[in-house]
């Protein structure tokens, strides 16, 4: 197989920072191979035939949100994608400590995973506090682009919901503009509290608590038409 001569621009920065702790490193060797998403095209429901729904979290960071959602909804299969190796190691610790069996991981670019999934296989998607690339010259590296939205439209069932959250005002506007341009998604907010207040099922992460952005968190929920 030849490599793509024009691969998509990377939407994330470094993939590793500090050394991974020994216990987490051991889980990278033992647990990750057991729950890693297949390297070829696959139907996620074959990974958990009794799954009531299939969710995808894009960029799960340290894994707190993903693990908490998995614990809340044991009948749901959650696919998580994250290229940052320290985050993957942290997520493995959460999954191991809580004994969660309904999560499968892709330790790389989510677009590679999405290309392997069949049409209309996802019931829900989370994109929470992605790298904002706040400088104008770097905006082209943002995850949310027309191409990603088109791919999500292919993968999400009619009526499936997508939650995007950011604490950068410009990224919220950017995302609204691009989803509004898609005929496949609707933003169903009716009042300011719908995007200013965390949704009832939201789980706050340590990253969110740091308040690194330039505004209070904004929560945008879109519905697949």
């Amino acid at each position: 197989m030849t490599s793509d001569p024009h691969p998509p621009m990377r939407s994330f920065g470094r993939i590793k920072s500090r050394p991974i702790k020994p216990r987490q490193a051991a889980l990278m060797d033992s647990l990750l191979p057991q729950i890693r998403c297949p390297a070829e095209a696959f139907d996620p429901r074959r990974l958990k035939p009794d799954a009531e729904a299939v969710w995808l979290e894009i960029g799960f960071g340290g894994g707190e949100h993903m693990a908490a959602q998995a614990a809340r909804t044991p009948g749901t299969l959650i696919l998580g994608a994250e290229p940052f190796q320290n985050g993957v190691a942290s997520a493995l610790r959460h999954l191991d400590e809580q004994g969660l069996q309904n999560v499968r991981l892709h330790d790389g670019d989510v677009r590679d995973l999405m290309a392997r999934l069949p049409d209309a296989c996802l019931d829900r998607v989370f994109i929470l506090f992605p790298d904002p690339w706040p400088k104008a010259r770097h905006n082209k590296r943002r995850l949310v682009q027309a191409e990603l939205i088109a791919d999500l439209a292919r993968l999400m069932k009619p009526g499936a919901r997508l939650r995007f959250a950011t604490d950068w005002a410009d990224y919220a506007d950017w995302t609204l503009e691009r989803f509004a341009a898609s005929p496949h998604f609707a933003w169903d907010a009716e009042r300011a509290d719908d995007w200013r207040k965390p949704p009832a099922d939201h789980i706050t992460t340590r990253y969110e608590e740091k308040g690194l952005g330039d505004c209070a968190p904004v929560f945008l929920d879109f519905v697949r038409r």
Side-chain angles (χ1 to χ4, degrees), residues 63-177:
E64 303 105 312
H65 176 273
M66 179 177 62
Q69 293 286 8
R72 283 182 178 179
T73 58
T76 297
L77 172 64
I78 299 181
L79 308 178
E82 175 59 59
F84 187 53
Q85 294 300 289
N86 297 79
V88 174
S90 173
L92 290 170
R93 177 177 63 82
H94 290 299
L95 301 180
D96 183 58
E97 289 178 350
Q98 299 179 52
L100 298 171
Q101 304 294 317
N102 57 326
V103 177
R104 300 294 181 270
L105 301 184
H106 173 68
D107 51 328
D109 192 323
V110 70
R111 292 168 293 190
D112 297 334
L113 172 63
M114 293 168 66
R116 303 201 297 269
L117 296 176
D119 294 356
C121 66
L122 299 178
D123 298 273
R124 196 170 188 189
V125 176
F126 296 95
I127 306 176
L128 305 179
F129 303 95
D131 193 324
W133 294 103
K135 295 181 180 179
R137 67 178 184 273
H138 294 153
N139 285 174
K140 59 189 176 183
R141 291 188 175 274
R142 286 176 168 171
L143 175 68
V144 177
Q145 305 285 349
E147 295 79 7
L148 180 86
I149 294 172
D151 288 340
L152 289 169
R154 177 184 72 82
L155 295 174
M156 294 172 66
K157 298 176 182 178
R161 300 187 69 86
L162 181 148
R163 176 171 299 157
F164 174 88
T166 184
D167 52 3
W168 287 86
D170 176 66
Y171 205 175
D173 292 340
W174 169 285
T175 299
L176 274 174
E177 179 181 345

Side-chain angles (χ1 to χ4, degrees), residues 31-77:
L31 179 56
L32 181 57
Q34 298 177 37
I35 64 172
R36 181 181 275 130
C37 291
E40 64 282 346
F42 69 100
D43 183 342
R45 288 190 178 270
R46 291 190 177 181
L47 304 180
K48 183 176 171 58
D50 61 343
E52 299 167 1
V54 179
W55 296 359
L56 170 65
E57 181 161 349
I58 299 176
F60 56 72
E64 303 105 312
H65 176 273
M66 179 177 62
Q69 293 286 8
R72 283 182 178 179
T73 58
T76 297
L77 172 64

